[in-house]
Amino acid sequence: LKGSDIPLLASEHNVREYYKNRKLEYGLLRISVSLSNRFSVISSVVGDGFSADLRKKMVVLPNPVRAFEPAIRNGQQHKVILSVGRLVELKNHKTLIAAFSKVADEFPDWTLRIVGDGDLRVDMETQIEALGLRERVQLPGFSSEMGQEYESADIFVHPSRYESFGMATAEAAAHGLPCLGFADCTGTNELIIDGVTGELVGSLNRAEGLGKKMAGLMAKPELCRKYGEAAKTRIAEFSLDRCVDRLEQQLYEMHRS
């Protein structure tokens, strides 16, 4: 498009931390930005992690979030802590399993369900077996019925180390679930308003801290409902109509300039 009158809007969906050990990819990103008129990220927190020269061209265009079709709980007896994401290191599910092991005996009517698949499945299955949680932790793999998954859950936990946006957290909030995540996880810490839509966990003693937060919600259904209602209201900011309006306005401004 160089030499033409057609403006270019580039879109970045990773956080700066992703490039920590990917110097070539980061160099290519910088070249891409230099060739574009605008450079979009999906949240202001993500944008703050990049250098000042990149931020000069930066605009925030968040992902739209939708709730899936309502589903019936099928009379399940156990209460469910749900997590959704690929079974890879950055999603940090092994910390979640360790956290659940610390409170499982205190809450025998709760089940941990981790939806997704990935390279760490065997490691996680070994961890679950070693902790004696085979009957309490479920790894169903990929699911095409996410409406059923969210509607059947009582608490949502996203233990990632970092996220650009945290779509699964946003979808859980759209279904009225109270959400837990780590305070230093980019993306998660913007979607979850601590003490309003859910709770954020400190970075020290992660498994112990997460376990305590989970136990606090498991013991307080009224607090869960309060957080869930607030989460649903909060996530309306990311409705499809609002996100499309913001994108359309940005494209109009680029065309006009």
Side-chain angles (χ1 to χ4, degrees), residues 204-237:
L204 296 177
N205 301 315
R206 288 177 182 269
E208 183 177 344
L210 180 57
K212 288 180 179 179
K213 290 286 188 180
M214 288 163 57
L217 290 187
M218 293 156 79
K220 299 175 182 176
E222 285 300 325
L223 182 60
C224 286
R225 278 191 283 273
K226 178 183 175 182
Y227 284 162
E229 289 171 4
K232 203 168 186 177
T233 300
R234 150 80 169 137
I235 219 65
E237 175 186 342

Side-chain angles (χ1 to χ4, degrees), residues 7-252:
L8 172 63
L9 172 63
S11 179
E12 173 56 69
H13 278 221
N14 286 314
V15 297
R16 178 64 180 90
E17 186 175 351
Y18 169 84
Y19 296 103
K20 186 176 181 180
N21 298 311
R22 297 176 171 91
K23 294 183 179 179
L24 176 59
E25 287 185 41
Y26 188 61
L28 292 172
L29 168 68
R30 295 186 66 85
I31 292 172
S32 299
V33 173
S34 71
L35 295 172
S36 66
N37 299 82
R38 291 288 187 276
F39 161 55
S40 77
V41 293
I42 52 184
S43 77
S44 57
V45 172
V46 169
D48 290 343
F50 288 95
S51 59
D53 61 320
L54 294 185
R55 292 201 303 271
K56 289 178 182 178
K57 287 189 174 183
M58 192 175 290
V59 293
V60 175
L61 295 173
N63 280 333
V65 178
R66 68 188 177 96
F68 293 85
E69 290 297 319
I72 300 174
R73 294 185 66 121
N74 296 327
Q76 66 186 33
Q77 295 180 349
H78 277 240
K79 297 175 183 177
V80 176
I81 295 173
L82 176 68
S83 187
V84 177
R86 291 175 296 128
L87 309 186
V88 294
E89 284 291 343
L90 75 88
K91 298 298 182 180
N92 202 24
H93 289 121
K94 293 176 76 173
T95 296
L96 171 57
I97 294 169
F100 183 70
S101 73
K102 296 179 181 299
V103 300
D105 288 344
E106 185 181 352
F107 298 93
D109 57 338
W110 283 79
T111 297
L112 172 61
R113 185 171 174 85
I114 304 174
V115 176
D117 221 333
D119 296 340
L120 289 186
R121 168 176 283 278
V122 174
D123 285 353
M124 290 168 61
E125 289 173 341
T126 300
Q127 179 189 18
I128 291 167
E129 188 71 29
L131 292 170
L133 294 173
R134 188 196 310 177
E135 305 300 322
R136 303 289 304 279
V137 180
Q138 302 171 353
L139 301 178
F142 172 80
S143 173
S144 60
E145 301 294 334
M146 289 310 302
Q148 178 70 51
E149 297 292 348
Y150 289 121
E151 291 290 331
S152 297
D154 299 275
I155 296 171
F156 183 82
V157 181
H158 199 62
S160 279
R161 302 180 192 281
Y162 64 85
E163 291 285 344
S164 56
F165 180 74
M167 182 59 79
T169 302
E171 290 172 352
H175 282 267
L177 289 176
C179 299
L180 290 176
F182 287 106
D184 60 357
C185 176
T186 308
T188 295
N189 59 18
E190 188 170 17
L191 286 172
I192 300 175
I193 303 175
D194 190 35
V196 178
T197 66
E199 295 182 0
L200 294 171
V201 184
S203 58
L204 296 177
N205 301 315
R206 288 177 182 269
E208 183 177 344
L210 180 57
K212 288 180 179 179
K213 290 286 188 180
M214 288 163 57
L217 290 187
M218 293 156 79
K220 299 175 182 176
E222 285 300 325
L223 182 60
C224 286
R225 278 191 283 273
K226 178 183 175 182
Y227 284 162
E229 289 171 4
K232 203 168 186 177
T233 300
R234 150 80 169 137
I235 219 65
E237 175 186 342
F238 302 103
S239 69
L240 179 61
D241 286 346
R242 292 188 184 185
C243 289
V244 169
D245 285 346
R246 293 174 72 166
L247 174 58
E248 186 177 37
Q249 181 62 30
Q250 182 59 51
L251 295 176
Y252 176 73

